[in-house]
Amino acid sequence: MGAKLWFLAPAAAVLLGGCDRQADENSGPARHGRYVGIGVFGAGDLWQHMAIARQASAAKAATIADDEHIIVVVDSDTGEIRECGDLTGYCVSMNPWTRALAPEQKAPVALGAHAAELIAAANDREKPPAQHR
């Protein structure tokens, strides 16, 4: 049995030799910027009705009513989320990580009705009325 195990010691040394190495700065995927795309969405009706401090004064400059899409990104350093119009470049930001969550926002959250109750109510509405004989 000893003759069969002679190769285990060198193999274990090779495999375990790299366990104590520090992570190299260049390891992992290349970082191209701090903003990461979440998605592109249609500009809803309320987007054009936002009260904004100033719009471009040039006659041909796009206004928020001209925005067709909203581009949403997250700042990977701060967690800030930005929603920006595609033609105006006007952005709205949100950062829920700047303050602590209120107790009612922490899981488990309180529900007005549970999923099973909503399904049962929907099923009750779909049943045909009972016929009397």
Side-chain angles (χ1 to χ4, degrees):
M1 178 105 171
K4 293 180 182 178
L5 297 178
W6 67 269
F7 68 92
L8 286 181
V14 169
L15 291 174
L16 296 175
C19 288
D20 194 30
R21 290 185 14 203
Q22 296 294 324
D24 185 19
E25 283 185 345
N26 295 326
S27 65
R31 184 170 177 180
H32 297 288
R34 62 189 257 189
Y35 293 97
V36 179
I38 294 177
V40 177
F41 305 92
D45 293 335
L46 293 178
W47 182 263
Q48 66 181 330
H49 295 287
M50 283 189 298
I52 61 173
R54 57 186 165 83
Q55 289 200 31
S57 58
K60 291 191 176 194
T63 65
I64 57 172
D66 298 317
D67 285 328
E68 295 178 338
H69 299 94
I70 307 302
I71 302 163
V72 183
V73 297
V74 63
D75 182 333
S76 62
D77 286 348
T78 66
E80 177 185 63
I81 298 171
R82 291 188 184 181
E83 302 172 8
C84 304
D86 62 343
L87 299 175
T88 61
Y90 181 77
C91 296
V92 175
S93 69
M94 173 184 79
N95 193 342
W97 296 273
T98 57
R99 63 182 179 278
L101 291 175
E104 62 271 9
Q105 290 177 282
K106 293 182 181 177
V109 297
L111 299 175
H114 292 281
E117 296 167 337
L118 296 173
I119 292 170
N123 288 340
D124 288 344
R125 285 191 301 270
E126 292 177 5
K127 288 182 184 173
Q131 295 180 359
H132 298 288
R133 288 187 183 202

